[in-house]
Amino acid sequence: MSEKRDYYEVLGVSKDATEADIKKAFRKMARKYHPDLNKDNAKEAEEKFKEANEAYEVLSDSQKRAQYDQFGHAAFEGGGGGGAGGFGGFGGFGDGSSDFGDIFDAFFGGGGRSGGRRQGPQRGDDLRYNLEIDFEEAAFGKEAELTIPRTEECKTCHGSGAAPGTQPEECPKCHGTGQVQEVHNTPFGRMVNARTCDRCGGTGKIVKKPCPDCRGEGHTRIRRKINVKIPAGVDDNSRIRVSGGGEAGDRGGSPGDLYVYITVRPHKIFHRNGNDVICEVPVSFVQASLGDKIEVPTLDGKVEISVPAGIQSGTILRMKGKGIAYLRGNGRGDQHVKVKVLTPQKLTSRQKELLREFADEKNENVNPEQKSWQDKIKQFFK
């Protein structure tokens, strides 16, 4: 008998592979070497299939994997930790409780099963799509057409995996139960170990003539266009669920869902604070002193507002109902206009002269706020 290959090598994973990595690698191997999909080299494929089963049964169990990492294949030879022999070289690992069917439960059945019951429908995987939208689109909502790569039920065989005009047949090895039993004689007596049927993969049926379009998989990979309604008021990291927009299920199972995650592009003028919009508007020294009417940009277009005389830089003017729609509820937030008073620069001689005259006027020196500040400074230095 040829020497057994390293289990990590069999599955094509590294020794620090995670449980998810090992499961994914086994699923790929199981599909690749399934006997029903390798009619031309069925014997070789079956051996590869069994070898992958054996490797997965050890590496997917943390305790067995630890034993294997320490002692290699010797950990399971000679009855010390489990009798070798039978399918894949494994029996009950000492307690007869090992059931290889859980592997295909995870991949092809879902929901768990017991005894000789076949695996049932399995729901498809969920998908994630990252969508970037503009600030205005987040404020008012939009219809987005997304192109999603996903698996769907094969239109030719309608998910059966069998060629047109044929149907899957009862597996002759497990007689439709999806499981076979092995009896092992051990120093502790006879032990019976139930495992997933390697001929049908636990489905209880085999496909003698695979569908030419999906090659017996029952589903195909396509790029589907899906229209998604983005509601008004969404923000960064908002999540929109599209029921049934995910991967196709197995054996008649329902499809998974599509989750669209939103990212909002920054705006050149507006900033968002909850449902309120904030923008900064510059006004001249003269406008701030005398007051004026100015045009302010909003999400709805330009709006004229009044700047009161004597306004100070940093003052906030509120524009009610000009913000972003409430995601759950009616109405909109407000827009807050932050006034920025611009100090004159590059003055002419005449302008400087006028400002000095202005400063010499008595009223300039009796500004209440300025006088209060000067009094505080005097008190501080005393």
Side-chain angles (χ1 to χ4, degrees):
M1 179 180 294
S2 59
E3 186 177 348
K4 288 184 179 181
R5 287 203 299 155
D6 179 79
Y7 288 150
Y8 292 101
E9 179 185 344
V10 170
L11 295 182
V13 297
S14 63
K15 291 191 175 182
D16 59 354
T18 64
E19 182 180 344
D21 293 335
I22 292 172
K23 180 178 287 189
K24 183 178 180 180
F26 172 73
R27 180 175 183 175
K28 182 178 179 181
M29 295 284 289
R31 290 191 182 279
K32 181 178 180 180
Y33 293 113
H34 197 287
D36 292 329
L37 301 180
N38 293 270
K39 300 296 185 182
D40 296 335
N41 58 342
K43 184 173 179 60
E44 180 184 352
E46 184 175 1
E47 291 303 317
K48 293 283 188 181
F49 191 78
K50 290 178 180 180
E51 186 181 39
N53 285 350
E54 179 178 326
Y56 181 81
E57 188 170 354
V58 172
L59 299 185
S60 63
D61 185 298
S62 59
Q63 184 176 356
K64 295 173 188 175
R65 182 178 179 181
Q67 292 176 336
Y68 178 73
D69 288 342
Q70 185 173 5
F71 302 109
H73 295 295
F76 311 110
E77 294 176 356
F87 175 81
F90 288 87
F93 286 90
D95 61 4
S97 62
S98 177
D99 182 1
F100 187 67
D102 63 348
I103 297 174
F104 281 93
D105 275 338
F107 293 152
F108 311 116
R113 62 186 171 86
S114 60
R117 293 175 58 194
R118 301 179 190 172
Q119 297 171 334
Q122 181 181 12
R123 181 180 180 275
D125 292 334
D126 294 332
L127 292 177
R128 171 173 178 153
Y129 188 96
N130 297 325
L131 178 64
E132 190 176 51
I133 62 176
D134 292 331
F135 192 93
E136 290 87 351
E137 292 172 334
F140 298 113
K142 66 172 292 188
E143 290 276 348
E145 184 180 78
L146 311 181
T147 301
I148 309 295
R150 67 176 190 176
T151 56
E152 290 191 1
E153 181 182 274
C154 177
K155 304 302 181 185
T156 303
C157 67
H158 303 290
S160 70
T166 68
Q167 291 292 331
E169 300 179 6
E170 182 180 279
C171 175
K173 188 169 184 177
C174 67
H175 304 292
T177 64
Q179 287 190 332
V180 292
Q181 292 185 339
E182 291 177 337
V183 179
H184 302 281
N185 293 318
T186 74
F188 305 101
R190 296 184 70 193
M191 292 188 177
V192 179
N193 180 41
R195 62 171 176 80
T196 297
C197 176
D198 62 299
R199 181 73 188 277
C200 66
T203 64
K205 293 184 177 293
I206 59 171
V207 177
K208 288 190 174 181
K209 189 176 180 181
C211 171
D213 290 339
C214 67
R215 300 180 182 180
E217 295 285 339
H219 46 73
T220 54
R221 193 76 175 169
I222 69 165
R223 295 176 65 85
R224 171 71 65 189
K225 290 186 177 181
I226 298 178
N227 290 320
V228 178
K229 184 177 181 180
I230 311 299
V234 295
D235 202 352
D236 273 331
N237 298 319
S238 293
R239 189 182 75 170
I240 300 169
R241 174 175 170 264
V242 181
S243 180
E247 302 279 22
D250 283 333
R251 295 181 303 283
S254 61
D257 297 330
L258 170 67
Y259 289 92
V260 181
Y261 284 78
I262 302 296
T263 299
V264 182
R265 299 185 190 97
H267 198 277
K268 293 181 179 180
I269 298 176
F270 303 120
H271 300 280
R272 181 170 179 171
N273 181 20
N275 289 88
D276 292 336
V277 171
I278 302 171
C279 73
E280 188 174 74
V281 177
V283 297
S284 70
F285 173 76
V286 175
Q287 287 176 309
S289 300
L290 304 179
D292 199 2
K293 289 186 179 296
I294 61 172
E295 284 189 339
V296 174
T298 72
L299 292 172
D300 303 300
K302 293 181 180 179
V303 174
E304 187 177 74
I305 64 172
S306 296
V307 176
I311 194 169
Q312 300 298 304
S313 190
T315 300
I316 303 294
L317 302 177
R318 177 186 174 211
M319 302 174 66
K320 190 174 181 180
K322 291 296 183 180
I324 294 173
Y326 292 104
L327 189 59
R328 296 176 179 84
N330 299 320
R332 295 167 58 177
D334 301 328
Q335 178 167 328
H336 299 282
V337 179
K338 184 178 181 180
V339 175
K340 180 181 180 181
V341 180
L342 302 178
T343 303
Q345 296 178 327
K346 297 181 180 180
L347 298 175
T348 66
S349 298
R350 176 57 179 161
Q351 289 171 332
K352 292 179 181 178
E353 183 181 350
L354 290 173
L355 283 176
R356 291 191 186 101
E357 291 179 6
F358 174 74
D360 289 337
E361 290 288 333
K362 179 183 285 188
N363 289 340
E364 175 66 7
N365 296 324
V366 295
N367 183 290
E369 185 175 348
Q370 187 177 17
K371 187 176 185 304
S372 174
W373 170 251
Q374 291 173 347
D375 291 342
K376 289 178 182 177
I377 293 296
K378 290 178 181 178
Q379 290 295 325
F380 175 77
F381 284 109
K382 283 183 179 180

